[in-house]
Each structure stands twice: as C-alpha cells, then as structure tokens.
Amino acid sequence: MSSANNILEVSSLAGGYGRFDVVRNITLRLREGEAVGLLGPNGAGKTTILRGIMGLLKQRVGTIRIGDTDVTMFPTHRIARGYAAIAPEGRRLFADQTVEDNLILGAWHRRREPQRVQALLDSVYALFPVLREYRHRQSSFLSGGEQQMVAIGRMLMADPLILLLDEPSIGLSPVAVDIVVKALIELRRRGASLLLVEQRVDVAARVCDRLYVISGGEIVEETTPEVVGREGAELINKYLG
Amino acid sequence: MFQMMLSGLTIGAIYGLLGMALSISFYVTRVINFAQGQMLMIAIIVAACLSEAGFNPWLGVALGPLAACVLGVASYFIGVRPILKADRFSFGWMVSTLGFGLVVENAIAYAVGPRSRGFPPLLNDIPIRLGDAVITGQQILALLVAAFAVAALEFVRKRTLFGKVGMATAADPEMAESIGANTMIVSAVTFALSGLIAGIAGVLIAPRTFANPYLGGTFNTFGFVAMMIGGGPENPANAMYGGLLLGVLAEGANSYINSQASDWFPFLILVLVLIVTPRGLFSTSNPLFRPRPARPA
C-alpha cells in the first residue's frame, strides 16, 4: 500500500476536454475505508476529476496511484478491472437491458468467476432488496431512485479498491435521496473507500469524513463535515454560491 | 409464382446475410462498413482461385469466409479505428471504409487479374422439385444458413454475456469501457463476425455468378437496402427479413415488369418503406409492430 494507507493518491492532476484545462493542480488523497467528498458549484471541475481518475480524459497530466499501482497510463477498461468503478452522473444505465444484466455487466472483468459474481450480486440485492424484485425489468422502466440503485449496484459489482460516485442525489425525491445516503453509509460500514462528488452539502456531510471544496478547477479548501456544520452558511456563500 | 417466390427468397437470403453483416458492425460501432461487399468478393475470389489451382472446392468454401473475416478486422483497424479514436462523432469512416474497399478491390484485380473466373457448382447442380417449382441444393443451403444465422445471432445478442456487452458498447461506449470492457476488442470481434457472414454469403451465391474482383459494390448496395428496409440498425436480424423481402421484390419485378425493373423497383419500394417507417419495416417504429398499451380490464 502507498504512504499512510492511502488507497488513492492524485498528484498535480490537470486536464480537460479541448485545448483548455478544466482542472488544474489537483492533489488529493483517499485513505482506505475513508469517504471523501468533492464539493463545488456547477462547472467547478468535480466531474472532470472523477473522469480523470477513471482515465476518461483525453488530455491529462499528473499522476494517479490506486492501491500500490500507478494507473496514470492505464486505459479506462484496465482501471475498471478492480482499481476503480464509477456511478456516473445521470446514472447512464444500459437502458435496453434488464436490471440484472446491468448488474452482471458491472462484473465484466470477473466473468470467469461465476461464484464470485453470484456473491456480489447477492450483496447488491441485500443492499437494495427492491432490485431483486425488479431484476428482470428493463432498466429504463425504473424510477430515478431505482435507477440510481442500479448504477450504484453496477459499480459495486466490479468490487474495486475505490468507488467514485458522481452526484448520486441529483434529480431524486427526498425519500430516494435518503435511501441512497443510507446505502452509502452502509457501504462505509462495510469498509468501502468512497470519493463522492456532491452539490448538496448535507448529503456530503452525512456520508464523508473529509471534504475538498473545488472552485474554478482547483481545490480551494480542505475541510470536515464538522467545520461545514459550524460554518456552513459562510462556506456555501464563499464557494458554492 | 411459387418459383418466383422461391428464387426471390434464396437470393434474398444472400442480400439478408450481407445486410446482417452491415448491421452487426453498425449495431455496435455506429459505422456502416462500405467495404462489406469487398469481403463477399474476397471470399469468392479465394475459393475460386483455390478451386482453379486444383484444390477441393469445399476447401475454398471454408477458407474464403475466413479470408473475409481477416479483411473485416483489417477494415476496422485501418478504416475505422483511427477515425473514431481521433473523434468518436466524426463521419470520416464514410470515406475511409469506401476507400478501403476500393483499394482492396483494385489490389485483388492487380493480384489475380480483372477477368471473371468460373466457380465450381458445389450443390447448384442438384435440382430438387417442389411441385411445379425447382430449387437447387445450393439454394436450400442458402436458406438454411440464413435461418441459422438469424437464430445464432439472436442467441448471442440476447443470451450471452458477449452479446450483452456488445449491446452495452452500442448504447454507451464510454460506459462500457468504464465497466471494464475493452471496446476496441468488442468492435474488432464484431467486424470479424461481419466479415465472416459476408464471406459466407459470397460462397453461397458464387455458384450462380462469376468470381470477379469488381462484384462487391453491387452486393454492398443490395445489402445496404436490405438493412434499411428491414430495420437492421435496430436489430441485425431485421436485415434478414428486409433481404428476403428485397429478393422477392427484385424477382417479382423481373418476372412481372421486365429484367431491368429488378434494378430500380426495389429502390422505389425502399423509398416508400422509409417514408412510412423511417427506421425500417420490421423496426419498432412501424405502427404494426409497435407494442400496444394493455387494454383496461
């Protein structure tokens, strides 16, 4: 394991989509079993950081280490094979396929380990029992909250070292947000390492140990939920608008 | 009439196989491989040359489609992948696959000569009477292969993990990569499969035609029409149904109008079909095939 049990170390990450960098000089770390939030307004570069870690940015500099491995030069599909998995913004389920097919596809790199895949599937169904009931239903026929459960379940099926979640609460009803947050807290209890992008400070504060505030493509502050609880309004006004 | 239907269905099975070949690669990569007809051609040329050299004709029947399979993979890595890697939304593949096909066509003409070669009859000289109509063993083989190809493709698409990852790649290539699928390998395999199917179509039709380096273009056009009439972009199996319909229409025009009509009549039907159901006759956009809401109890 890399220094001080860091399961993710991002150093001097910069990158974007065209000629211009969306994020600059991003240095962050995630310890094993820790949950870290990335807070910031729209367009701050939070999603770009997650895409950079997943190898989805064409233009990227800096180094990314997951576990003991430098994955900076790895293609996305290799990073997805046990290093990191993502529940992206907007869920991006395979809409024509059933709930169970979406979940099983999440374990694509474990396709030659059927018993392991079944065990992972059972653990996802234990986390979200409603998905077992809907397992043969086409994923596009689910509600937003149920789709988010499938997206998180698909991510868990990869059984990776780190979990990346991009705005899991966006567009969900308060009830669905509560279910998702409880699931994330349960994942933490199971020892998962999470990097969570959120606009909702209350959601990030309930789940995370530490928070990075992103603004204008850079990390402008590292804080904790307790500090946010005390200085919430001031912080929100200062960075999140 | 029955004879016309039989002849139409058998030539339609060939168009359908070629339409399926086009549809499979389009289904996964959103690329229409305009060099698909040249894969049919290379299978015929390889089989004809081997037969001419004194080898057992059935050896050519086995190796021809394999050559087409290799050419399919080459078309992906030379004509498609570099374009999509630079810009996933570029349409540069239209020119690059067309260019790839022309280069292959002329390279083959240069290598083996532009003349037409005869092709061994295989099962084409085994007539089978069905009432007043006659069908050859080769035509029956074409129909059986077409039926098998549709069933096998549907099985792979819906029942295998590879089929599901192919659907995932088609729906969202970036997300497919994010679940660990190497979309380059998935795409290359689909181009190999497309080439193989086009090659099989080639050795099935070859006993009824000549082996000529320039015959790919015509078959490519008919395969494309089969795909579009049937709704192949939505489901590759639909291209087979489109191909069968196209074959019957072409034979019908040949029998009831004149021999020239088989060249233009199917295209007239294509335009009419696309006006009524823009995604193809057997697609879900067709009002006849659209799922209806359940009646209230």
Side-chain angles (χ1 to χ4, degrees):
Chain A
M1 197 64 62
S2 48
S3 59
N5 278 353
N6 286 343
I7 200 148
L8 169 70
E9 286 179 356
V10 177
S11 305
S12 308
L13 176 72
Y17 304 99
R19 276 190 239 163
F20 305 103
D21 285 345
V22 176
V23 293
R24 291 172 301 281
N25 197 29
I26 298 292
T27 296
L28 59 83
R29 69 190 190 285
L30 176 68
R31 292 190 201 95
E32 197 173 1
E34 190 184 30
V36 168
L38 301 179
L39 289 174
N42 267 338
K46 307 181 296 295
T47 296
T48 305
I49 293 171
L50 293 196
R51 288 175 63 82
I53 294 168
M54 275 309 288
L56 289 166
L57 286 183
K58 273 190 180 174
Q59 284 83 34
R60 187 183 62 174
V61 294
T63 57
I64 297 161
R65 179 173 279 277
I66 300 176
D68 292 328
T69 311
D70 184 340
V71 301
T72 311
M73 301 306 289
F74 283 14
T76 300
H77 63 83
R78 202 161 157 212
I79 292 171
R81 292 176 185 180
Y83 292 104
I86 188 167
E89 185 181 354
R91 278 86 73 174
R92 290 173 69 175
L93 300 182
F94 303 121
D96 291 342
Q97 306 203 43
T98 64
V99 167
E100 191 153 293
D101 284 346
N102 268 276
L103 295 176
I104 288 172
L105 281 170
W108 170 252
H109 70 287
R110 298 193 185 278
R111 61 193 177 280
R112 292 184 188 92
E113 307 167 54
Q115 287 178 332
R116 180 88 186 109
V117 172
Q118 189 56 52
L120 288 164
L121 198 55
D122 289 340
S123 80
V124 170
Y125 288 148
L127 187 65
F128 300 118
V130 70
L131 295 188
R132 187 188 291 276
E133 191 184 328
Y134 292 159
R135 65 188 183 277
H136 298 307
R137 191 172 287 190
Q138 196 172 310
S139 60
S140 56
F141 293 160
L142 301 178
S143 70
E146 290 157 355
Q147 287 191 11
Q148 189 61 61
M149 292 178 211
V150 179
I152 293 171
R154 183 178 61 183
M155 171 185 70
L156 295 173
M157 290 295 291
D159 194 19
L161 292 174
I162 60 168
L163 303 172
L164 309 175
L165 293 109
D166 196 354
E167 308 249 16
S169 70
I170 199 164
L172 302 189
S173 68
V175 174
V177 170
D178 198 49
I179 292 170
V180 167
V181 168
K182 281 179 178 159
L184 298 183
I185 291 167
E186 169 61 19
L187 289 177
R188 294 220 47 203
R189 200 189 60 74
R190 293 182 189 181
S193 311
L194 305 177
L195 189 58
L196 172 69
V197 161
E198 258 300 337
Q199 278 197 62
R200 284 184 57 170
V201 178
D202 61 319
V203 168
R206 279 175 71 189
V207 175
C208 298
D209 302 301
R210 288 187 297 121
L211 303 166
Y212 290 104
V213 181
I214 318 288
S215 184
E218 295 181 80
I219 294 176
V220 291
E221 188 149 341
E222 183 181 345
T223 183
T224 63
E226 292 74 30
V227 174
V228 169
R230 282 200 308 270
E231 303 169 7
E234 192 183 333
L235 186 85
I236 288 166
N237 288 336
K238 189 173 172 188
Y239 296 116
L240 310 183
Chain B
M1 175 76 173
F2 185 48
Q3 180 69 61
M4 182 274 289
M5 290 289 288
L6 274 180
S7 300
L9 288 174
T10 50
I11 187 68
I14 303 299
Y15 298 150
L17 283 171
L18 209 52
M20 276 176 71
L22 282 162
S23 301
I24 289 166
S25 47
F26 180 80
Y27 185 73
V28 172
T29 60
R30 300 293 152 194
V31 165
I32 293 169
N33 190 352
F34 288 108
Q36 202 76 67
Q38 278 72 27
M39 287 162 215
L40 172 141
M41 175 274 291
I42 205 164
I44 296 176
I45 294 286
V46 166
C49 288
L50 284 172
S51 174
E52 208 174 66
F55 290 97
N56 185 324
W58 291 99
L59 179 69
V61 169
L63 293 183
L66 287 181
C69 182
V70 172
L71 192 64
V73 176
S75 71
Y76 173 70
F77 282 109
I78 295 169
V80 177
R81 168 106 181 130
I83 305 267
L84 296 186
K85 198 175 174 191
D87 180 358
R88 188 157 74 85
F89 300 103
S90 161
F91 286 97
W93 49 262
M94 282 186 176
V95 176
S96 61
T97 56
L98 196 63
F100 180 84
L102 289 173
V103 168
V104 167
E105 200 168 80
N106 286 288
I108 295 293
Y110 182 76
V112 301
R115 72 182 172 89
S116 292
R117 290 176 157 74
F119 197 90
L122 303 176
L123 304 179
N124 211 36
D125 53 2
I126 303 174
I128 297 157
R129 293 200 72 84
L130 291 173
D132 290 338
V134 179
I135 189 168
T136 68
Q138 189 73 14
Q139 287 174 308
I140 288 179
L141 184 64
L143 289 172
L144 289 176
V145 168
F148 175 78
V150 170
L153 183 69
E154 281 299 275
F155 179 80
V156 169
R157 199 171 70 91
K158 289 186 175 163
R159 303 277 176 205
T160 69
L161 200 55
F162 183 80
K164 286 167 186 170
V165 89
M167 286 170 72
T169 304
D172 189 339
E174 192 176 272
M175 201 59 228
E177 279 276 326
S178 299
I179 59 164
N182 185 339
T183 55
M184 181 187 75
I185 300 288
V186 173
S187 302
V189 168
T190 54
F191 271 73
L193 187 62
S194 289
L196 184 69
I197 292 175
I200 290 171
V203 293
L204 286 169
I205 191 64
R208 292 179 62 190
T209 178
F210 291 102
N212 183 292
Y214 297 108
L215 56 72
T218 308
F219 278 100
N220 206 32
T221 306
F222 279 96
F224 183 70
V225 175
M227 173 174 91
M228 296 312 293
I229 283 186
E234 192 175 286
N235 176 359
N238 289 346
M240 177 54 72
Y241 313 138
L244 294 173
L245 182 65
L246 176 66
V248 171
L249 288 171
E251 281 295 311
N254 189 27
S255 300
Y256 294 107
I257 307 174
N258 57 43
S259 60
Q260 294 288 314
S262 62
D263 286 337
W264 59 261
F265 185 71
F267 291 92
L268 179 67
I269 299 299
L270 169 70
V271 171
L272 295 175
V273 164
L274 292 182
I275 288 171
V276 179
T277 61
R279 291 184 191 175
L281 201 54
F282 302 98
S283 71
T284 49
S285 73
N286 185 336
L288 290 174
F289 294 98
R290 197 175 295 155
R292 292 176 191 174
R295 273 188 201 166

